[in-house]
Amino acid sequence: MVTTTTIGEKHKESQARQLQRPKAAVSDSIMNTTEKSQKQRDILLLVSKISNLLDTGLDNRSLYICIRLIEAGVHPECLADIIKDLRNESSSMGGKSVSGRPLSVRLQSSAMVMDPETQFEQMKEEAFYSMEGLGRLNPEKLDFYVDYLKFQVEHGFYDGDANLNILKLYQFSPDLITRSSIDNVHLVLTKALMQLPNSDYVYCRAQLSQDMIDDNLTKKIDDVATLLETCQFPEFWNVIQEEKIFEMTGFVEAARRFICHVVRLTYKNIEEEFLMQLLGPMEDKSEFMDIVAENNWDHNGDSVFVGHKEEMVEQKEIIEKMPIEVVTPILAIR
Amino acid sequence: MKNPGKYLLNIIAAMAWQGNVAAMPVQMQMYYTGTATEQGEVAEPVVNFLKWFYHFIEKNEIYHVENMYEDGYYKISDFYFKDKPWPAPDVVQGIVEEKDEGSIFMILYRELYYRHIYARLKPTLEHRFDSYANYCELFSYLLSAEEPVKIELPNKWLWDIIEEFVYQFQNFQQFKSKAGKINEEEKSMLRDDEDNVWKVTAVLNILLQLTEKCNINQQLIAMEKGEPITEDIAGEFGMKPIYTMTGFFSLVGLLRLYCLLGDYHMALSCIEHVQFKDKDMMALVPACQITANYYAGFAYLMIRKYGNTIQLYQHILGYMQRTKQFFQNRSFQADDINKKNEQMLALLAIASTFCPLRLDESVNIQIKEKQGDKVARIQHGDMAVYDDLFFSGCPKFLSPVVSENPTSPFGSSGPRGLQLQVFKAEVEQQRLIPTLRSFLKLYTSIPISKLAKFLDMHENEVRCCLMAFKHKKEVAKGDSTEQTTMDIDFYVDKDMVHISDTKIARHYGDYYVQQVLKLKESNKLILGAALAPVVATNTV
């Protein structure tokens, strides 16, 4: 995110000057927007201003889709014709479009032949716009967020902010909750769990209602969360066999990522056998060796070298430091 | 404002400027002593106060408005309206001879009028509705103006408006959730309510609009970078202090509201660009600073970043202790501030058991005083104490939707119970860590097999436990910049645990500073005594 990086740098500079300065920025994965999309937004903003001046009657979403189509090589004039056609069609239907969906959605469906990456970017953009300000709580967008969530589940993407918003909509408008809502809750929770060691799971957990918590599968997910948080990995691999939801795309990889993170924190050398136990069932040894290589660890006989840790436990003395800036105002000297 | 004398002088000066010198002293005397003759129903000093207040607000003389608001309003409230409301708005309209009941003075007066009712009396449902309508009027006065409004108001008042707005919303939700205590007439009134009075989305909407009107986040980012605030950044409205300050205070209001709703993600993203140091906007209104620190620290506690909580609370508690004198003069605030102080101490006690950081000596003493027995019980493994501490420290959580139907989505325990569950999950996950820590403290290296024997666990369980310790420690650190952790550190090399050996030098700094200040104080005294005769001889 462009803003946080600059803040981060500034932060380092000023650290020397200010002893105490809590950092309020939340740098969790849930907040991430890329520099690229920031730029895109700026461009889109400009285009939308022009569009408003010309009175084209296109909203931001439609504009965004048009831009993407043109970037993908669609001829602009053809596109303009299509939009006109779509408009004529909808006006001949007495103001209502055939499917009852706005222009932008219909345009989108005509552009569906996109790779998942691009499609994710696009949905992310849409989610971003619809969550600005109070739009966040617009119940009409719930279906979109749910579609978006299912897309993420299927293709292994993640947008925590939008997923959390599903829970929020359930919280604010309980009449939106249907029989299938609980399934969405499970998906949101499992997705958030895959973000450990980030706090996404806690954010989501704090938004659930009592009914949702009492649900059996929710309890199961909560148990799995506890096993991960308390690092009982051997047990974790057993438990996740029991439920289908943990077969989700990328779940095993995410769990291994977290496990490697914890091992990196804790170990200098770790026994090979124990590490294999932690990383869960694997097809063959080469999968294990891949993980070791991915983390830049060294395989030595029956153990794996993770990293030097000696300085962590060096004998240290904490001496109080009092920078001169703190003392000068007290002593009233310059 | 501490002494009434200074206030008197201000008024006298203002009156002199008005050419009203002759009328002044008697009036002022009455204003302070309260030996006034009754004029109709409203005591004359009150009438005078209102007239001057009206005059200064109309003339937009912020300096006098500030004095009258921060001093006169509370003094008169204490003296004349201790247990009754201020004069009704239409009476006041007559007194100040204002024709338009929708004028800004009348809106502001009604704001004070209802706030007084909330603070000293029991508001009826009608009061609640009317007060909400008045807030809507006030905010739309600011928000739907075509160009920035001319009026200026003291920062303290702007903060109080936002704070009170959120408070009254909170109060309304609580009122609604106590279905048993609402009588039939009120129930039908609630049902007939078509304007969605005090609806959570409406309240959020107003606060969001206030933050957007002045581009407060863009302004804060620019400030962080040290850039000047130009109209390009702030916009036409953002260049006016009244908009900027309401925007800033609304951010804090949103922080609070989101915390009450259990949405810590939104709560923390509200304050992403807010600086918590003693400078800048945060320091302008101490009450705002305390509220912001309390809720931000609480949100960090809930997402388990104890390092951040500790850093914020340590700082603000130190600040509150230094400025105690200042607050104690204002009885109406002292209660609130003392309560926040105790809440923060309870939360700080929790945070520092999960993440033992070195605390300031003065804060440490306060914790020992207030929560010492509980901290001791935690150390003996009494888990129930966490509930106690959590309840005494947490805010009054809200549910966004309150239905009349008793089977609310929150079950019997309500939103507070739900948040407690979230917190307890963490307590449960941390359960083994204190024991593990106390064993590790005794060694510089220990084989896992030996540790397993001590803990009466399987060796692999101990390995997992060590990893959990590391993981929790890493999360707890949060983004705090404070590095002086008192906690042990360790690493595992195959089946051997190596533990750090940390010595902490004694803290002399605080002691030293105190002595310097004492010396200065005595030096001043001596100098004063020495100079006095010299001055005297000079005048002779």
Side-chain angles (χ1 to χ4, degrees):
Chain A
M1 181 155 66
V2 63
T3 45
T4 31
T5 47
T6 47
I7 294 161
E9 282 155 21
K10 170 85 181 147
H11 189 60
K12 268 173 219 150
E13 283 166 30
S14 53
Q15 233 171 52
R17 274 180 278 121
Q18 287 142 8
L19 204 58
Q20 287 190 328
R21 182 188 178 192
K23 188 181 160 202
V26 186
S27 52
D28 278 342
S29 67
I30 216 164
M31 311 285 299
N32 280 347
T33 41
T34 56
E35 196 169 329
K36 196 177 135 207
S37 59
Q38 173 71 39
K39 218 177 213 168
Q40 282 175 347
R41 268 196 290 287
D42 289 349
I43 293 171
L44 186 60
L45 223 76
L46 260 174
V47 175
S48 91
K49 273 183 191 162
I50 297 172
S51 156
N52 280 343
L53 283 175
L54 294 174
D55 201 17
T56 58
L58 292 169
D59 61 6
N60 278 358
R61 270 170 59 204
S62 309
L63 274 176
Y64 177 72
I65 294 164
C66 290
I67 293 171
R68 295 301 284 258
L69 282 169
I70 291 169
E71 277 173 357
V74 175
H75 197 279
E77 279 182 26
C78 294
L79 187 61
D81 286 341
I82 292 173
I83 292 174
K84 273 189 210 156
D85 282 351
L86 284 172
R87 282 218 175 111
N88 286 337
E89 196 185 320
S90 47
S91 59
S92 66
M93 293 296 289
K96 274 190 180 168
S97 57
V98 191
S99 55
R101 294 160 96 191
L103 180 64
S104 60
V105 176
R106 306 183 59 207
L107 259 176
Q108 197 175 343
S109 54
S110 67
M112 265 308 172
V113 273
M114 277 186 248
D115 59 311
E117 193 85 22
T118 325
Q119 207 180 336
F120 173 67
E121 278 297 316
Q122 200 182 75
M123 290 177 106
K124 194 172 173 175
E125 198 82 11
E126 179 170 354
F128 180 86
Y129 278 114
S130 56
M131 286 192 298
E132 262 177 333
L134 202 70
R136 210 165 256 282
L137 296 172
N138 178 4
E140 284 163 21
K141 290 296 282 185
L142 179 64
D143 289 340
F144 165 73
Y145 296 125
V146 172
D147 286 347
Y148 185 30
L149 169 70
K150 288 183 177 153
F151 179 83
Q152 294 172 44
V153 169
E154 194 182 328
H155 295 278
F157 293 106
Y158 184 67
D159 184 343
D161 204 2
N163 297 350
L164 186 61
N165 208 35
I166 296 180
L167 301 183
K168 207 162 173 60
L169 283 170
Y170 288 149
Q171 194 196 29
F172 273 73
S173 335
D175 41 324
L176 290 176
I177 299 177
T178 58
R179 245 164 228 273
S180 61
S181 300
I182 192 76
D183 299 336
N184 300 331
V185 172
H186 297 145
L187 292 179
V188 172
L189 287 176
T190 315
K191 268 296 195 188
L193 194 53
M194 285 158 64
Q195 306 306 313
L196 275 174
N198 289 323
S199 319
D200 299 34
Y201 185 77
V202 191
Y203 286 133
C204 294
R205 184 64 180 70
Q207 298 276 289
L208 300 186
S209 70
Q210 190 65 49
D211 296 347
M212 293 173 182
I213 296 166
D214 291 340
D215 175 78
N216 277 333
L217 188 52
T218 312
K219 276 189 183 148
K220 200 84 182 191
I221 297 174
D222 216 31
D223 290 344
V224 169
T226 311
L227 288 175
L228 280 176
E229 287 264 6
T230 51
C231 298
Q232 301 178 52
F233 302 124
E235 177 71 12
F236 160 79
W237 293 108
N238 288 333
V239 173
I240 62 163
Q241 306 283 322
E242 295 165 19
E243 292 294 343
K244 217 166 166 250
I245 193 162
F246 300 118
E247 288 164 17
M248 189 182 284
T249 315
F251 186 80
V252 169
E253 289 74 14
R256 286 192 179 141
R257 213 167 32 242
F258 172 62
I259 293 165
C260 290
H261 160 80
V262 181
V263 168
R264 197 177 305 115
L265 285 176
T266 318
Y267 275 92
K268 181 186 173 194
N269 287 295
I270 181 166
E271 298 90 339
E272 185 190 32
E273 197 199 326
F274 182 57
L275 182 58
M276 281 175 101
Q277 210 183 329
L278 293 182
L279 291 172
M282 284 182 228
E283 279 178 22
D284 53 23
K285 186 85 185 259
S286 73
E287 209 181 333
F288 174 74
M289 295 308 284
D290 285 348
I291 295 175
V292 171
E294 224 172 81
N295 285 291
N296 287 329
W297 294 342
D298 279 332
H299 194 257
N300 295 320
D302 61 349
S303 70
V304 175
F305 174 72
V306 177
H308 287 288
K309 293 283 186 306
E310 282 80 1
E311 63 183 48
M312 202 183 263
V313 298
E314 262 173 15
Q315 188 179 24
K316 56 184 168 189
E317 253 177 82
I318 296 175
I319 302 162
E320 185 194 13
K321 284 183 196 135
M322 209 178 222
I324 194 79
E325 295 85 32
V326 177
V327 190
T328 37
I330 299 166
L331 298 176
I333 43 178
R334 260 164 223 166
Chain B
M1 177 73 66
K2 277 175 201 162
N3 65 1
K6 196 170 165 198
Y7 177 67
L8 251 169
L9 279 178
N10 291 331
I11 298 283
I12 290 171
M15 291 173 103
W17 166 77
Q18 283 283 310
N20 245 342
V21 189
M24 173 197 54
V26 187
Q27 274 182 350
M28 294 320 297
Q29 245 176 17
M30 288 195 295
Y31 171 70
Y32 273 100
T33 53
T35 54
T37 50
E38 299 276 313
Q39 182 207 353
E41 281 180 14
V42 184
E44 191 165 337
V46 178
V47 170
N48 286 333
F49 174 82
L50 286 169
K51 279 186 173 159
W52 282 112
F53 204 33
Y54 177 70
H55 173 82
F56 287 134
I57 286 180
E58 284 292 295
K59 289 271 184 285
N60 206 6
E61 298 210 19
I62 183 157
Y63 180 71
H64 297 296
V65 172
E66 188 165 357
N67 276 338
M68 296 194 79
Y69 175 74
E70 288 200 18
D71 193 56
Y73 169 68
Y74 292 106
K75 284 217 167 76
I76 293 195
S77 290
D78 269 344
F79 196 87
Y80 290 97
F81 306 111
K82 222 177 169 76
D83 44 14
K84 59 181 179 189
W86 273 68
D90 49 340
V91 175
V92 172
Q93 198 183 340
I95 292 175
V96 300
E97 293 161 22
E98 166 70 52
K99 286 185 195 73
D100 178 11
E101 68 163 356
S103 74
I104 185 66
F105 173 79
M106 288 313 295
I107 296 177
L108 289 171
Y109 177 74
R110 280 195 296 266
E111 201 270 326
L112 295 176
Y113 171 77
Y114 291 121
R115 195 195 312 166
H116 183 79
I117 291 178
Y118 269 82
R120 310 275 170 119
L121 306 154
K122 224 174 158 277
T124 65
L125 192 56
E126 212 174 333
H127 285 140
R128 292 172 194 271
F129 275 48
D130 291 349
S131 175
Y132 177 75
N134 189 53
Y135 275 115
C136 288
E137 229 175 295
L138 174 60
F139 292 130
S140 77
Y141 170 80
L142 289 174
L143 289 170
S144 30
E146 302 237 321
E147 51 186 65
V149 297
K150 292 280 183 306
I151 188 169
E152 282 176 68
L153 286 175
N155 291 328
K156 175 78 175 57
W157 196 350
L158 293 174
W159 162 250
D160 287 340
I161 287 173
I162 300 290
E163 160 112 341
E164 183 69 14
F165 180 60
V166 177
Y167 167 76
Q168 290 191 10
F169 163 72
Q170 193 182 353
N171 199 287
F172 186 75
Q173 294 293 86
Q174 279 156 4
F175 166 77
K176 251 175 46 175
S177 63
K178 287 178 200 149
K181 287 189 184 163
I182 306 175
N183 62 36
E184 278 310 311
E185 192 188 334
E186 288 174 330
K187 267 185 191 158
S188 74
M189 218 167 138
L190 281 173
R191 264 196 298 272
D192 295 344
D193 162 34
E194 277 162 11
D195 302 335
N196 287 319
V197 170
W198 291 118
K199 200 178 172 202
V200 59
T201 41
V203 174
L204 281 172
N205 190 14
I206 288 175
L207 293 175
L208 278 169
Q209 281 194 35
L210 287 169
T211 58
E212 277 163 16
K213 191 82 181 175
C214 63
N215 296 331
I216 186 70
N217 272 319
Q218 284 80 341
Q219 289 201 44
L220 287 170
I221 293 170
M223 268 180 231
E224 237 169 350
K225 291 183 191 156
E227 288 169 6
I229 306 293
T230 58
E231 196 161 328
D232 282 347
I233 298 168
E236 192 189 356
F237 289 90
M239 295 306 286
K240 293 276 172 192
I242 185 165
Y243 283 98
T244 308
M245 290 321 291
T246 13
F248 181 78
F249 294 142
S250 298
L251 278 183
V252 180
L254 281 170
L255 163 70
R256 173 171 169 190
L257 204 52
Y258 283 128
C259 272
L260 295 177
L261 295 168
D263 188 347
Y264 308 112
H265 167 52
M266 285 307 289
L268 292 174
S269 56
C270 279
I271 50 162
E272 198 182 340
H273 303 294
V274 174
Q275 298 293 313
F276 280 85
K277 52 191 169 171
D278 285 344
K279 283 188 262 166
D280 297 347
M281 290 161 141
M282 188 56 97
L284 289 176
V285 178
C288 165
Q289 195 178 3
I290 292 166
T291 305
N293 273 280
Y294 168 71
Y295 285 100
F298 181 75
Y300 280 123
L301 181 93
M302 289 305 284
I303 64 157
R304 305 166 181 189
K305 292 190 173 172
Y306 308 106
N308 292 40
T309 307
I310 293 174
Q311 203 175 345
L312 288 173
Y313 282 3
Q314 169 141 286
H315 180 68
I316 193 71
L317 285 168
Y319 167 81
M320 282 160 85
Q321 204 176 30
R322 286 199 302 278
T323 49
K324 217 171 179 176
Q325 226 58 43
F326 176 70
F327 289 119
Q328 263 170 359
N329 291 336
R330 307 170 168 221
S331 57
F332 63 95
Q333 281 184 340
D335 288 348
D336 204 38
I337 283 166
N338 284 339
K339 193 174 163 228
K340 280 270 171 319
N341 199 12
E342 302 226 330
Q343 283 182 313
M344 284 195 268
L345 286 173
L347 295 176
L348 194 56
I350 293 176
S352 59
T353 53
F354 288 152
C355 175
L357 283 173
R358 188 187 177 82
L359 297 179
D360 259 0
E361 206 38 51
S362 61
V363 175
N364 222 346
I365 290 169
Q366 283 190 60
I367 293 185
K368 273 190 193 136
E369 244 173 53
K370 305 269 183 193
Q371 309 287 357
D373 54 326
K374 286 184 183 153
V375 174
R377 271 161 64 201
I378 285 181
Q379 277 156 1
H380 289 110
D382 184 351
M383 288 298 177
V385 183
Y386 282 110
D387 291 23
D388 277 9
L389 282 174
F390 184 76
F391 281 149
S392 48
C394 73
K396 284 181 183 152
F397 293 108
L398 291 179
S399 119
V401 191
V402 181
S403 59
E404 282 185 38
N405 147 15
T407 53
S408 75
F410 289 101
S412 50
S413 48
R416 194 174 78 149
L418 286 178
Q419 298 303 321
L420 177 71
Q421 283 180 21
V422 176
F423 171 72
K424 289 274 278 204
E426 165 74 351
V427 174
E428 195 49 39
Q429 288 167 16
Q430 292 257 3
R431 194 169 48 90
L432 290 171
I433 292 176
T435 331
L436 186 61
R437 183 185 283 126
S438 59
F439 277 117
L440 291 178
K441 260 187 186 163
L442 304 173
Y443 296 87
T444 51
S445 60
I446 179 173
I448 288 194
S449 54
K450 197 171 170 187
L451 199 55
K453 239 179 254 165
F454 285 149
L455 292 163
D456 199 16
M457 278 157 84
H458 192 268
E459 282 186 30
N460 275 357
E461 281 174 5
V462 176
R463 289 192 173 94
C464 290
C465 208
L466 285 166
M467 285 191 285
F469 189 173
K470 271 283 184 183
H471 161 58
K472 289 289 180 195
K473 201 168 138 67
E474 188 71 12
V475 173
K477 213 164 69 189
D479 332 294
S480 69
T481 48
E482 197 103 358
Q483 289 304 321
T484 49
T485 166
M486 278 216 295
D487 204 5
I488 51 159
D489 208 346
F490 68 91
Y491 72 85
V492 186
D493 188 6
K494 291 187 191 169
D495 51 5
M496 185 65 97
V497 191
H498 298 268
I499 303 129
S500 67
D501 181 20
T502 310
K503 280 184 188 146
I504 298 165
R506 270 196 67 184
H507 241 296
Y508 293 113
D510 277 350
Y511 182 75
Y512 178 61
V513 168
Q514 270 172 20
Q515 295 307 314
V516 171
L517 290 178
K518 257 191 201 161
L519 178 68
K520 263 190 177 173
E521 208 45 42
S522 13
N523 211 7
K524 225 194 222 160
L525 264 175
I526 296 166
L527 269 181
L531 281 176
V534 181
V535 176
T537 44
N538 269 358
T539 45
V540 172

